[in-house]
Amino acid sequence: MYITQAYKGLHDWWRYIIGVIIAILGVFAFSLPHVVAIIIGTFKGDIDQSQMNDTSYVMGLFEPNLNLVFILLPFAGGLLFLLLAVKYLHKQSLKHLTTTRKKIDWKRFWFIFFLWGIVSSSFVLIDYVLTPEDYVFNFKLGPFLILCVIAIALIPLQTSFEEYLFRGYLMQGIGIIAKNKWVPLVITSLVFGVLHIANPEVEKLGYVIMVYYIGTGLVLGIMTLMDEGMELALGFHAANNLFTALLVTADWTAFQTHSIFKDMSDPQTMGVMEIFVPVFVVFPILLFILSKKYKWTNWKDKLFGTVTEPPNENYKIIEDIGSDTRI
């Protein structure tokens, strides 16, 4: 059971509150370069303070590649501080936070990474073929190559922070407190979605887009619980953000990059079906494919069952402290 992996470390409820605070401190600490750049720009007169409440204006303050670095750095800080909290506050290994398997299964990660990368990219390319008037060819070799370096280096850190925080740390922590699996699944999915409410997409598309964010969190949570590990969730999220950042951008999205295409369509014309179809059609098909490939069974217990502390886990903690297996 994935959630019971938390019992292989120190799992007092208050440790999870402190751990979340530590992760937030990491986010703020690595946000300082962005804050300093904004202050310098304000003193130089390059930034209009009266527009700082406009998300689109803030997202476009700097050259796209530099702006992407500023956006992604806080997530790298959050990931670093979170993993430090797991190691020193909980005395839990990265492996036990990630999976129930003997070692992290990178084949799972890469399978879904390329599968979802191909599928999501295909949707964009099909839309480009059907409505070419909605796109501008935005490719510039130099800036694109720099984008590739930044995206490949930092986007996996961003997505890994979100996954380790929600599908890992909080899924396990809330699970052992609630003593069941559906409560952490629902809570982490809702909070994951709500934290995207500041994204410029919400401002342009309305709160209906929250169905996509919460639905994505729910699907990633189901992957984690059914597969007894985070490898699939990590791979899916990394592919979703990385391929999107490289392939298409728009003036109203969180990532405004030197991508290959730029979407010039009016986001207000996006229909409800374009938001609902991925959540209620595409994602269930994806879960079906994964369930067949990895032979998932016992859905009811894995998603709605109880969480029980395994016997003698306290002795296991003492025995493992200082062991190389905890690195």
Side-chain angles (χ1 to χ4, degrees):
M1 291 173 57
Y2 173 71
I3 289 178
T4 59
Q5 293 286 88
Y7 288 114
K8 295 181 179 179
L10 303 176
H11 49 273
D12 310 87
W13 64 266
W14 56 266
R15 293 180 188 271
Y16 288 94
I17 295 177
I18 295 176
V20 170
I21 293 173
I22 290 173
I24 293 173
L25 289 176
V27 171
F28 279 113
F30 279 63
S31 298
L32 290 178
H34 196 188
V35 173
V36 171
I38 290 175
I39 293 174
I40 292 174
T42 302
F43 278 119
K44 292 174 62 177
D46 298 332
I47 295 176
D48 185 355
Q49 283 283 6
S50 64
Q51 297 190 56
M52 289 302 291
N53 290 328
D54 184 344
T55 304
S56 299
Y57 176 77
V58 175
M59 299 297 290
L61 283 177
F62 304 98
E63 190 275 333
N65 280 332
L66 178 59
N67 198 57
L68 185 62
V69 172
F70 285 146
I71 291 173
L72 295 176
L73 271 180
F75 294 96
L79 178 63
L80 174 62
F81 278 50
L82 176 63
L83 295 184
L84 289 174
V86 169
K87 182 176 178 63
Y88 294 105
L89 180 63
H90 293 271
K91 306 296 183 182
Q92 184 183 19
S93 69
L94 178 61
K95 183 187 79 69
H96 289 151
L97 181 65
T98 306
T99 186
T100 59
R101 285 167 273 277
K102 292 183 178 180
K103 60 180 180 179
I104 297 174
D105 188 351
W106 290 106
K107 290 182 179 179
R108 276 173 154 81
F109 175 93
W110 290 115
F111 171 76
I112 197 168
F113 177 87
F114 287 113
L115 173 63
W116 187 246
I118 292 170
V119 170
S120 59
S121 298
S122 297
F123 287 149
V124 174
L125 294 175
I126 290 171
D127 191 50
Y128 173 71
V129 171
L130 295 177
T131 57
E133 67 276 7
D134 288 342
Y135 294 87
V136 170
F137 189 67
N138 192 52
F139 180 75
K140 297 176 183 177
L141 181 60
F144 180 77
L145 291 177
I146 296 174
L147 167 64
C148 287
V149 173
I150 295 170
I152 293 172
L154 294 181
I155 285 181
L157 299 181
Q158 176 245 327
T159 57
S160 293
F161 171 58
E162 295 185 3
E163 290 310 306
Y164 273 112
L165 178 61
F166 291 102
R167 258 62 64 180
Y169 192 70
L170 293 177
M171 182 76 80
Q172 290 185 349
I174 296 173
I176 63 174
I177 293 171
K179 302 299 182 183
N180 62 51
K181 301 171 185 178
W182 69 267
V183 168
L185 175 61
V186 171
I187 291 178
T188 56
S189 301
L190 288 173
V191 176
F192 175 78
V194 170
L195 287 182
H196 286 79
I197 202 167
N199 281 20
E201 291 93 335
V202 177
E203 180 181 341
K204 292 294 183 180
L205 301 175
Y207 290 111
V208 67
I209 191 64
M210 298 303 295
V211 172
Y212 176 79
Y213 291 131
I214 295 173
T216 301
L218 185 62
V219 168
L220 292 171
I222 292 173
M223 286 183 191
T224 301
L225 293 178
M226 290 304 304
D227 201 50
E228 302 287 10
M230 288 177 52
E231 294 96 334
L232 293 175
L234 287 166
F236 175 96
H237 204 160
N240 188 73
N241 288 23
L242 180 59
F243 280 83
T244 300
L246 296 177
L247 190 58
V248 63
T249 189
D251 291 334
W252 45 271
T253 57
F255 287 171
Q256 297 179 28
T257 65
H258 288 293
S259 57
I260 297 174
F261 298 106
K262 186 171 184 177
D263 186 351
M264 305 300 293
S265 63
D266 182 1
Q268 300 295 339
T269 63
M270 180 178 288
V272 172
M273 291 302 295
E274 294 176 84
I275 296 172
F276 279 54
V277 167
V279 175
F280 296 104
V281 179
V282 179
F283 289 170
I285 292 174
L286 178 63
L287 288 176
F288 176 77
I289 293 172
L290 295 173
S291 70
K292 294 301 180 182
K293 178 174 176 59
Y294 297 112
K295 298 178 174 58
W296 294 346
T297 58
N298 200 13
W299 288 67
K300 182 178 179 180
D301 181 64
K302 286 188 176 181
L303 298 181
F304 300 99
T306 59
V307 174
T308 305
E309 182 174 0
N312 300 324
E313 282 300 338
N314 291 331
Y315 298 101
K316 176 70 173 169
I317 295 170
I318 297 173
E319 179 184 343
D320 282 350
I321 290 177
S323 170
D324 291 338
T325 61
R326 304 187 64 80
I327 294 175

